[in-house]
Amino acid sequence: MFHIGVDLAWGRRQPTGVAVLDDEGRLVQLAAVRTDEEILALLAPYVDGPCTVALDAPLVVTNPTGNRPAERALNADFARFDAGAHPSNTGKREFADGTRGGALAERLGLDLDPHAHSPRAAIEVYPHAATISLFRLGRTLKYKNKQGRDLEQLRGELLVLMGLLEGLGGAEPALQLTGPGTYAAGVVEAGVGGVGEGGAGEGGAGWTALRRQVQHATRKSELRVVEDQVDAVVCAYVALFAARRPDEITSYGDAATGMIVTPRLPEDHQPTPRPRRGPQDTSPPPPDPVGAVREYALRHPGLVRAGEEFLAMVTGILDDAGINYLTVTGRTKTVASFAEKARRLGLDGEPLYPDAARQIADTIGLRVITYVHGDVDTVADLLREQLLVRDDRDMGQETAQEGRFGYASRHLQVALDPERPVAAGLEPLVGLTAQVQIRTVLQHAWAEFEHDIRYKGSIPEEHAHDFDRRFTLAAGLLELADREFSTIRDTLRAPERRTPSDTGVEEAATDPRAGIEPRDLAAFLAGQYAEAGWSRTDHYAWIAGLTHELGLLTLADLAQTLREVDETVIAERMDYRYPPGAVRRLDDALLLAFGDAYVALHGNAHRRDLLDARLARLHAPPG
């Protein structure tokens, strides 16, 4: 089944936006067209079978003057949010001989009565009202071109709406605007007499192209074509929402006089107060979460790039120190997520973030997952040495001080240290802050499961206390397990040193020209650097490739090279603050043994500046 949105232009000279969602919520068509024939041609592949076509246009108009009953009823709910519908009547020229939307529905053979439950139906929708309900907006977003609205305001408001729609990827039903199977057109508007080119693909470039056009628009007219297609996506999502969650839909009016279908307005939802305009009123204006969201939407593309740079920087710091971690991941908060947080209220009914643009600090987030608890502190200390730490909270310690078990994670707010020179490529990070969460894999499992149950599921009231007890018990058991894992790791790091021959490692019975296998190398290094911790699995494969580039094709070749390296000199010159992993130890040994030749290896192209600095330390005079 297809769920189709049509933002139908009132005149045939203006563009009409068309969007099509499949039954999984994937955007499979997106275009702007003008004539009825272009609309019908574009929809033909999607309306042969079960479908719902949601049109932002009147389908039935019978009243000679004033509002239709549907418009009066909808306005009673939504006019206070600036989302009232314009009057439609046969006294207007465009409705004197019927409606354009009704004629299109008739030509497509669609049923106009939503309550008839026909497999092929047309419904009238209203995007402004839908966005108030779906996103709990205090007032409509002002992305329509009207007098007094400049290009930057229209751009900002439209980007907010696009961000909110992107955030529906985690909703029910989910909206998938990009990714596998979504529409991958070029830009947007078809020329006269034809529809836009493009088709389904892997990249979802259709939606991405729309966002790019909004960001780079220099005229309001360039936003107009995008606006119609974004509205069409809203219409299509309302059709999908009505199919999946029919009990949360309100239908205003009736089939005989016209009916408007929209997601139900939440009972407790109130409009944002209007700014005070009295000349004697000197009190501060009420918080404007939409303004903060608008500002964030404009900054969002740059923050995404900054988030990627923060992720690469922190990963590089950990890799250079030889820390053995499970994963380092990052994300930049979506516009939808920011908007939801900006609208949160406290128990007193006041906004939690009255200055949301500056108070919401976790817009860029990183998460480091370690294997053992001791490495959590090691990672935190390492980041403190390299970056400016603005805040450091040990959530596990705070929980323990309350005499209970529960959520455990180290939360750091980090930024570039202004006392250090800014490395090339990191200039966009100046003035920005990222939140880094550091936790063990067991702490992460508990946090993810607990969050999933409490915030995404529903706990029956009769089970609430029992679940609290069980989560607490699980947290205590996992803390104990973390301690045992740390003890095992510390025992394996015994100070006694073994030689490679003590490990029982033998040469693999393979063609030596193939080089050293990563698994064999890991076993060899466990004996060579018995006191060192294990390194990441992919790092063994990476450094095995470097040994191959050096011509060290067997473990015997490698052992001979390492016998000629003075480990005491390396330890003295590198002054390891934290126990480096086995791969880092080998890395430094090969650097000392081969010098500039090692730096010049193809596999080291991404870190030559770093290796040059290390090599200088290795060759520095003692003291």
Side-chain angles (χ1 to χ4, degrees), residues 37 136 240 316 363 403 432 502 512 576:
E37 285 67 30
R136 296 183 68 94
L240 177 64
T363 54
L432 296 179
D502 295 329
Y576 298 120

Side-chain angles (χ1 to χ4, degrees), residues 399-416:
T399 302
Q401 288 174 346
E402 296 173 3
R404 59 187 180 87
F405 295 104
Y407 178 73
S409 182
R410 189 88 173 262
H411 290 189
L412 275 63
Q413 294 285 345
V414 304
L416 294 183

Side-chain angles (χ1 to χ4, degrees), residues 197-251:
E197 298 179 355
E202 294 297 314
W207 183 261
T208 303
L210 286 189
R211 173 176 277 281
R212 190 162 51 245
Q213 182 161 333
V214 174
Q215 292 165 349
H216 299 295
T218 58
R219 299 188 303 273
K220 293 180 181 180
S221 58
E222 296 172 8
L223 297 179
R224 173 61 193 272
V225 177
V226 178
E227 165 204 316
D228 296 321
Q229 293 173 85
V230 173
D231 277 346
V233 172
V234 176
C235 295
Y237 186 76
V238 172
L240 177 64
F241 190 95
R244 296 286 181 80
R245 299 168 68 172
D247 294 340
E248 298 177 46
I249 285 290
T250 298
S251 298

Side-chain angles (χ1 to χ4, degrees), residues 371-372 442 475-488:
Y371 288 102
V372 296
L442 294 181
L477 291 173
L478 292 179
E479 183 175 318
L480 179 62
D482 261 334
R483 291 178 184 174
E484 294 304 312
F485 287 160
S486 294
T487 300
I488 292 171

